[in-house]
Amino acid sequence: MSPPNGVGFRPLLSISIAILYFLLAGQAYDEISDGTLNALPRPNNDFDIHHGALLSPILIPRVSGTPGSAAVLQHFADFFRNSLPSWNIEFQNSTSTTPVSKGKEVPFVNLIASRNPPWAAPGDVGRLTLVAHYDSKYSPEGFIGAIDSAAPCAMLMHAMRSIDAALTKKWEKMQAKGDTDSSWEEQKGIQVIFLDGEEAFKAWTSTDSLYGSRSLAEHWDSQVNPAMSTYKTPLSSISLFVLLDLLGSKDPSIQSYFSTTHWAYKKLAHLEKRFRDLKQFKSSTDSSHPTWFLDSSKMEHDISTFLGIQDDHLPFLERGVEILHVIDAHPSTGFPVVWHDEKGVPDDGEHLDLATVEDWSMLITAFAAEWMELEGFMPQSRREAKDAEHKREKRSGKNVDRLNMKTELS
Ligand SMILES: *[C@@H]1O[C@H](CO)[C@@H](O)[C@H](O)[C@H]1NC(C)=O
Ligand SMILES: [Zn+2]
């Protein structure tokens, strides 16, 4: 078979498009402004560990296949349906036996919430992908897993809520200008994945762990987008896989693990510094631990890629996805002291450092806003941010009491 006429030009065309894309992308990473950082919405009481609308419902045992797990999943789904109705919600389900299930199949349910530019075919959208696992450990009984990973899940909820209106505004403006079809640059979407079954039931092995992520990576790798789509599979449309894990203890130590995403790691580090300079972070640092991002002054080629930390990114990494692994793991002291309750300090709500949890949520919000190029569409003052919040709450018809309380206080 010979190719039809004209096909011979395509490589040349793709190269020039690639170069154009590269130039545009370079330009596009304009920093968001100080004004935007200063006015970024805050979680306020939503991270309260007893009554907070976002975090407290997750701080329960939620072992895969149990009622606790179903309740937390429902909490995520309700949040998107009520507060962020423009998001698509999808479940990806699988089952597996586990070393403690006595031959029975346990269900694992991943939840994917996504937003695409309204004009774009889903197969043409590259997505910033923000990920945390929501299951908790089978043992010890009653294990909560606040940093592992209830708090990261709540951070993602807050971040998506904080950029939602700006995404709408940006896309409406692009549509009004007819600025929607030509450039690849703008077929840019975002998704959040709440993964199930990260934890081992008995002892960590390649089959007793990562139940949800193994299933999702396999599924997305084999699912093929419609012909002529920009991306062949949902897996290949992940522009960056940002995995949050073990976040919520004070003075986190975040290393950079992959040279190809070190630039994105540095973006986070730079945003941390800007927030501190602007006095917008609540957590403090000291001279022995001036930054969360230990490798921020390293060059890309100094990052030694090692596959030491086994986590939900692995099934994606193995398939060539770009990974940014944001996990609190100090090179000499390891995971935070509450990790898996192993040192007698429980990983529960009481042991979270709430200033740090809030700061993380701001950092992730800013990172996502920058990635989605939302400068000019985000609130520029606290007052504007508050008004937007009230509007959203009214629309969703929820939290009326909270709204009244705030009005009384302000
Ligand atoms: C996956 O599981 C969820 C939660 O149990 C359920 O609501 C959903 O319908 C399931 N989806 C499919 C495609 O089976
Ligand atoms: Zn864990």
Side-chain angles (χ1 to χ4, degrees):
M1 284 239 302
S2 64
N5 278 349
V7 167
F9 285 107
R10 291 202 53 176
L12 196 61
L13 186 65
S14 328
I15 289 169
S16 37
I17 288 176
I19 290 170
L20 184 66
Y21 175 63
F22 187 74
L23 291 174
L24 284 172
Q27 265 178 6
Y29 283 110
D30 278 345
E31 286 182 352
I32 55 174
S33 65
D34 286 356
T36 298
L37 289 184
N38 283 328
L40 222 52
R42 290 201 164 266
N44 301 321
N45 295 327
D46 287 350
F47 288 171
D48 182 284
I49 62 170
H50 299 295
H51 310 290
L54 297 188
L55 179 57
S56 68
I58 317 174
L59 292 173
I60 58 171
R62 50 196 185 283
V63 177
S64 305
T66 66
S69 164
V72 170
L73 197 65
Q74 188 67 45
H75 167 58
F76 296 143
D78 287 346
F79 170 75
F80 281 99
R81 286 186 189 127
N82 295 328
S83 299
L84 304 178
S86 318
W87 291 63
N88 309 310
I89 305 176
E90 245 178 274
F91 299 98
Q92 189 269 327
N93 302 351
S94 60
T95 65
S96 173
T97 60
T98 78
V100 301
S101 73
K102 305 192 178 86
K104 271 211 201 125
E105 296 282 327
V106 175
F108 296 95
V109 184
N110 300 315
L111 189 156
I112 302 110
S114 60
R115 255 201 107 172
N116 300 325
W119 57 82
D124 292 342
V125 179
R127 296 185 190 87
L128 174 63
T129 301
L130 304 167
V131 188
H133 77 85
Y134 73 91
D135 62 301
S136 64
K137 261 171 76 64
Y138 175 75
S139 71
E141 208 188 318
F143 178 82
I144 295 294
I147 65 167
D148 186 13
S149 277
C153 289
M155 293 166 195
L156 290 179
M157 295 168 92
H158 171 69
M160 295 309 98
R161 183 177 65 181
S162 304
I163 63 166
D164 183 58
L167 280 173
T168 305
K169 273 192 217 161
K170 174 177 165 150
W171 286 336
E172 278 174 0
K173 185 173 171 205
M174 287 172 68
Q175 263 180 317
K177 281 171 56 189
D179 197 7
T180 55
D181 50 334
S182 55
S183 77
W184 294 8
E185 163 62 14
E186 296 309 343
Q187 313 297 334
K188 202 184 218 177
I190 187 162
Q191 64 190 348
V192 171
I193 309 177
F194 297 109
L195 288 171
D196 197 2
E198 188 266 349
E199 302 284 7
F201 283 81
K202 202 163 170 201
W204 191 281
T205 65
S206 61
T207 52
D208 185 20
S209 66
L210 310 183
Y211 294 90
S213 56
R214 283 187 285 126
S215 172
L216 183 63
E218 193 182 317
H219 179 61
W220 275 0
D221 200 12
S222 62
Q223 219 185 357
V224 178
N225 284 330
M228 308 303 290
S229 295
T230 308
Y231 301 99
K232 188 171 170 222
T233 67
L235 195 93
S236 62
S237 68
I238 297 174
S239 35
L240 181 67
F241 186 99
V242 184
L243 176 60
L244 310 181
D245 201 1
L246 305 185
L247 305 180
S249 297
K250 191 167 163 48
D251 292 336
S253 300
I254 312 299
Q255 302 180 63
S256 181
Y257 298 105
F258 304 104
S259 58
T260 54
T261 58
H262 189 57
W263 65 275
Y265 174 94
K266 284 171 104 165
K267 286 217 147 279
L268 279 177
H270 185 56
L271 282 168
E272 183 206 6
K273 180 169 188 324
R274 291 184 63 204
F275 272 118
R276 290 198 192 283
D277 290 347
L278 291 167
K279 307 264 181 289
Q280 293 294 333
F281 260 17
K282 290 190 171 170
S283 64
S284 54
T285 54
D286 58 42
S287 52
S288 69
H289 196 92
T291 171
W292 294 353
F293 296 90
L294 306 186
D295 297 329
S296 53
S297 53
K298 280 193 186 163
M299 304 290 279
E300 182 184 308
H301 54 257
D302 295 328
I303 302 306
S304 55
T305 300
F306 87 111
L307 306 175
I309 299 185
Q310 313 235 330
D311 206 345
D312 278 323
H313 61 299
L314 287 183
F316 292 85
L317 179 71
E318 284 161 7
R319 291 172 170 85
V321 174
E322 294 290 347
I323 309 289
L324 181 58
H325 194 191
V326 184
I327 184 169
D328 185 355
H330 190 274
S332 50
T333 56
F335 298 140
V337 65
V338 296
W339 182 65
H340 286 188
D341 294 7
E342 280 188 357
K343 296 187 178 145
V345 191
D347 181 9
D348 57 13
E350 279 75 12
H351 290 85
L352 286 171
D353 186 69
L354 286 175
T356 304
V357 176
E358 178 163 341
D359 289 350
W360 271 119
S361 77
M362 306 292 281
L363 189 64
I364 296 155
T365 304
F367 181 81
E370 224 165 66
W371 185 284
M372 299 306 290
E373 297 167 78
L374 298 180
E375 181 60 25
F377 303 99
M378 295 289 289
Q380 287 304 305
S381 67
R382 275 293 157 75
R383 158 143 230 121
E384 228 185 289
K386 240 188 191 142
D387 287 350
E389 189 183 328
H390 285 195
K391 233 195 248 162
R392 194 188 57 244
E393 286 182 351
K394 251 195 208 133
R395 205 182 48 218
S396 73
K398 288 203 110 188
N399 303 322
V400 175
D401 289 340
R402 218 153 53 81
L403 196 66
N404 289 343
M405 205 172 75
K406 266 187 204 148
T407 319
E408 277 163 28
L409 289 176
S410 58

